Amino acid sequence: MTTQPPTFPALSPSGPRRVVLAAASSGSGKTTVAALLCRALRARGVRVQPFKLGPDYLDPTHLTRAAGREARNLDSFLLGRQRLRELFARAAAQADVSVLEGVMGLFDGRDPTSDEHSTADLALLLDAPVVLVLDAGGSARTVAAVASGLRDFRPDLRVAGVILNRVGGAGHAALCEAALDQVDLPVLGWVARDAGLHLPERHLGLLSAEQAAWDTAAADRAAEGLRLDALLDAIHAPALPDAPAPAQAGAPVRVALAHDEAFHFSYPDALDELRAQGAELIRFSPLRDAALPAGVGGVLLPGGYPEAHAHDLSANVAMRESIRAFAVSGGAVLAECGGLMYLGESLEVDGQEVPMCGVIPYRTRMTPRLTLGYRDATALRDTLVAPAGATVRGHEFHHSVLTHAPTRPAWTWTAHDGTVTEEGYAHGNVLASYLHLHLGADPALATRFLAACRAVTA
């Protein structure tokens, strides 16, 4: 007798399903569960669109691999609320189910006194049901207390159920489920504790999917505990307004995009905005290529891990000279974080100064201290993406510092304690900064950058 594949409930006439996976804290296994869910749904023929809440560049690579569809970042600080809804709706319309991995704990946002820019805030903005990912290791009844506390903290939040993570086995899962029954929260699946599901980390977070992957057999075992039919039935959501199509504008222009093991922190929606405005993005490797692609008007050097590849980057003298010559000739160069470190004179790693491109008069060194946070920045002078006096939103996340005070700083911002920071480098057609911008947040940012690129090739 042939076993028939399981069937799913018919999709709601109100539109595709969506779900926000949230937790009580970071480290609860949101990325693991989100990727497992994407993988399991994909294996059952469901088109899945993954999203990552917040500015993270690494978790989305695991979601992309699992779903077979490029994960998108949703950050209400960087994008703004209306732009976020537009970009979400545009991507979600191409799939049957949207899986949104939350950030930190459910209610953790920019500050401890409000839910603004938190996972809960975004779930409400998108009218999306929430499924709690709870680390059940070493507990049973307590998971019910945690789950009900999270649900009841914001009664207007729709908590659809729970997925238990790091469970000891079926017996342990049953104990947790009995407790959750008492607070009227269904268990929509459980994932056993399994070393094969561990995703290694380094100082900026998880290793990317290109550098680390699960054991396939472990992922298959874990999927057996997910109750996909019940979950799909629980995550119906109202339709969102249709997103406007991206504006098509500008003559074609070739732009070189650094993309390899050392540089790969780019937002898909930002690259889409550049393409929509006429950019032909040509990937190149500062590690392996001998020169920039021919005929480009601009170079994008995103963040990444130049410190992990410093000696190889330095050894590729031909590429360093190609980038320097391009910048000296007036080419448009936009560099963020790792890109700033590469454009500088040197990068100090483990006490050794390693020569870099020498395009900007900065030297950097690695430090154990992490600098991170959202920034409301004002341009101190005309830059590639914004004129003097304009404000932009970005974020910092790095373990390196300048070894000296900045010259020709690009941005200034004021911290909550009143501290004023001047940061980055802007001169001519070069903009380098620790500030990560989202060029998809405001089309004007991409427009200004591409105008400079076109002027180079005119």
Side-chain angles (χ1 to χ4, degrees):
M1 180 178 178
T2 303
T3 301
Q4 295 297 316
T7 58
F8 294 111
L11 290 179
S12 166
S14 63
R17 295 168 170 84
R18 55 188 179 269
V19 60
V20 173
L21 297 179
S25 66
S26 295
S28 299
K30 295 188 299 294
T31 302
T32 297
V33 171
L36 284 171
L37 181 57
C38 289
R39 186 176 184 271
L41 289 171
R42 179 188 179 191
R44 304 273 288 272
V46 177
R47 296 177 303 163
V48 186
Q49 175 58 58
F51 296 89
K52 171 62 183 177
L53 282 59
D56 185 279
Y57 293 103
L58 297 169
D59 291 2
T61 65
H62 297 281
L63 303 182
T64 295
R65 170 179 283 180
R69 189 183 294 263
E70 194 167 39
R72 308 276 168 160
N73 286 78
L74 298 174
D75 188 294
S76 58
F77 178 82
L78 297 179
L79 292 172
R81 300 176 76 82
Q82 182 57 37
R83 184 64 168 164
L84 184 152
R85 283 171 62 93
E86 291 175 359
L87 294 178
F88 171 79
R90 187 179 299 164
Q94 308 304 314
D96 301 314
V97 177
S98 294
V99 175
L100 298 84
E101 180 200 339
V103 60
M104 299 186 292
L106 176 56
F107 300 103
D108 298 318
R110 194 179 185 188
D111 65 66
T113 62
S114 80
D115 301 334
E116 189 179 15
H117 308 309
S118 69
T119 300
D121 185 37
L122 187 134
L124 291 168
L125 176 64
L126 297 180
D127 200 358
V130 173
V131 169
L132 301 174
V133 176
L134 297 182
D135 184 346
S139 63
R141 181 170 171 76
T142 300
V143 299
V146 174
S148 61
L150 291 171
R151 177 193 59 193
D152 298 343
F153 192 74
R154 280 293 299 266
D156 52 343
L157 202 63
R158 288 192 295 139
V159 177
V162 173
I163 294 178
L164 301 166
N165 190 33
R166 301 190 183 110
V167 176
H172 181 200
L175 294 176
C176 295
E177 186 163 10
L180 286 160
D181 281 344
Q182 293 185 317
V183 294
D184 197 26
L185 277 171
V187 173
L188 301 175
W190 56 274
V191 176
R193 185 170 52 247
D194 192 325
L197 296 176
H198 175 68
L199 294 172
E201 301 182 46
R202 61 178 161 193
H203 58 266
L204 295 182
L206 295 176
L207 290 178
S208 70
E210 290 78 14
Q211 298 156 325
W214 291 321
D215 177 89
T216 302
D220 289 340
R221 288 193 300 270
E224 295 174 1
L226 297 177
R227 300 170 181 174
L228 297 183
D229 293 280
L231 186 140
L232 284 174
D233 198 41
I235 60 171
H236 291 277
L240 294 174
D242 292 337
Q248 302 289 328
V253 61
R254 289 162 63 87
V255 177
L257 170 65
H259 187 89
D260 58 16
E261 299 91 327
F263 304 100
H264 50 269
F265 291 176
S266 298
Y267 293 126
D269 285 310
L271 301 183
D272 284 351
E273 181 63 39
L274 290 168
R275 293 187 185 102
Q277 294 197 33
E280 178 189 356
L281 299 178
I282 306 166
R283 290 185 175 185
F284 75 99
S285 170
L287 283 169
R288 285 177 287 276
D289 294 338
L292 290 171
V296 299
V299 174
L300 289 170
L301 291 167
Y305 290 101
E307 68 278 11
H309 305 277
H311 294 286
D312 290 335
L313 288 169
S314 186
N316 192 350
V317 176
M319 176 56 78
R320 291 196 287 123
E321 291 180 346
S322 177
I323 290 175
R324 179 173 171 79
F326 180 80
V328 169
S329 71
V333 181
L334 176 57
E336 293 183 350
C337 200
L340 173 146
M341 296 158 67
Y342 181 54
L343 282 189
E345 296 172 352
S346 65
L347 169 58
E348 183 181 321
V349 181
D350 297 328
Q352 181 180 358
E353 277 201 32
V354 183
M356 292 287 123
C357 294
V359 172
I360 62 176
Y362 287 7
R363 297 181 302 279
T364 54
R365 63 177 172 83
M366 301 308 297
T367 173
R369 180 176 176 271
L370 174 63
T371 299
L372 79 164
Y374 288 126
R375 309 292 185 234
D376 282 299
T378 301
L380 288 167
R381 48 182 44 85
D382 287 345
T383 76
L384 277 179
V385 298
T391 59
V392 298
R393 282 188 158 184
H395 74 98
E396 282 191 283
F397 198 88
H398 54 90
H399 273 281
S400 68
V401 295
L402 299 184
T403 62
H404 56 285
T407 59
R408 299 185 184 277
W411 311 107
T412 183
W413 57 77
T414 303
H416 292 299
D417 62 2
T419 302
V420 176
T421 296
E422 293 188 350
E423 191 274 333
Y425 177 90
H427 182 58
N429 257 5
V430 175
L431 171 59
S433 172
Y434 275 120
L435 196 66
H436 291 282
L437 301 175
H438 195 313
L439 296 183
D442 180 357
L445 303 175
T447 300
R448 185 177 175 92
F449 171 66
L450 293 179
C453 296
R454 292 186 181 97
V456 171
T457 58

